[in-house]
Amino acid sequence: DETSESDAYGIAEQFLNNNNHHVQRSKKHSSFIDLASELRNEFSALYGGENAARGILLKGMSRLEPANDTTTTTTTTKVSVGLQQTALRLKRAQKAKKTFNVVFGGSSATLGAGNYFNQSFPFVVQSLVETPLRSMGIDIVVRNVAIHEIPSFPYAWCMENIFGK
């Protein structure tokens, strides 16, 4: 189903179950897998358990997807095109030794109204993924360009100016 195609917990579980006996992992690969597992566990602990964390990710995360999104199945693991594209962007950043940029837009909730700026959702995400990505040689830069009480329209027309390239 659609959930399994973008469910970080399910994808990891399927990948690890399918590849534990077939793949000789490098030290860097094993380190990343361990850190990613810690990240999923920490996210679950922060947000009320694995089921709640899965629900938050499903409802709260969006990715740039082509209009005719299809999934690719490798053995028994289904991964959406959007996640594949994100993985390719990460791989390109790693290979080129370039920074991986992530930009968050939204309103006051994304902005972090009522919290310190570094406690806003974008920077919480950065703090959670920074170590696993760094273990793979990828530096991440997160920008929070959310604007309090500003509607999406007409700002959606200016995304490149606001978010950058």
Side-chain angles (χ1 to χ4, degrees):
D1 74 349
E2 182 181 321
T3 303
S4 65
E5 296 165 7
S6 59
D7 173 25
Y9 295 85
I11 291 169
E13 186 176 297
Q14 289 178 27
F15 175 79
L16 293 173
N17 287 340
N18 291 335
N19 292 300
N20 268 341
H21 306 294
H22 300 88
V23 176
Q24 188 69 13
R25 293 190 192 136
S26 68
K27 184 177 178 183
K28 184 185 274 191
H29 188 213
S30 291
S31 174
F32 176 80
I33 289 172
D34 292 343
L35 289 166
S37 178
E38 289 174 26
L39 174 60
R40 285 188 304 277
N41 292 338
E42 185 175 348
F43 194 78
S44 294
L46 282 171
Y47 295 105
E50 185 177 313
N51 287 336
R54 283 178 158 180
I56 288 168
L57 290 174
L58 179 64
K59 289 181 181 179
M61 302 296 283
S62 62
R63 331 169 275 293
L64 299 176
E65 301 272 3
N68 59 348
D69 183 26
T70 58
T71 59
T72 298
T73 302
T74 56
T75 58
T76 60
T77 305
K78 289 171 57 176
V79 180
S80 74
V81 170
L83 287 177
Q84 291 174 49
Q85 291 173 339
T86 301
L88 288 172
R89 287 183 57 227
L90 284 163
K91 191 173 182 176
R92 278 189 231 118
Q94 179 187 37
K95 187 175 182 179
K97 298 184 185 328
K98 289 190 174 186
T99 302
F100 187 77
N101 297 302
V102 181
V103 181
F104 289 82
S107 62
S108 56
T110 305
L111 179 65
N115 289 324
Y116 293 110
F117 192 62
N118 68 338
Q119 294 174 328
S120 64
F121 181 74
F123 298 117
V124 170
V125 170
Q126 179 180 11
S127 71
L128 292 171
V129 301
E130 202 163 33
T131 301
L133 289 177
R134 217 176 257 147
S135 78
M136 296 298 291
I138 302 169
D139 288 324
I140 184 172
V141 170
V142 170
R143 286 187 280 160
N144 183 349
V145 297
I147 305 170
H148 179 65
E149 293 187 6
I150 301 292
S152 298
F153 181 81
Y155 293 95
W157 286 353
C158 309
M159 284 178 57
E160 187 174 313
N161 294 333
I162 295 170
F163 294 158
K165 291 185 178 186

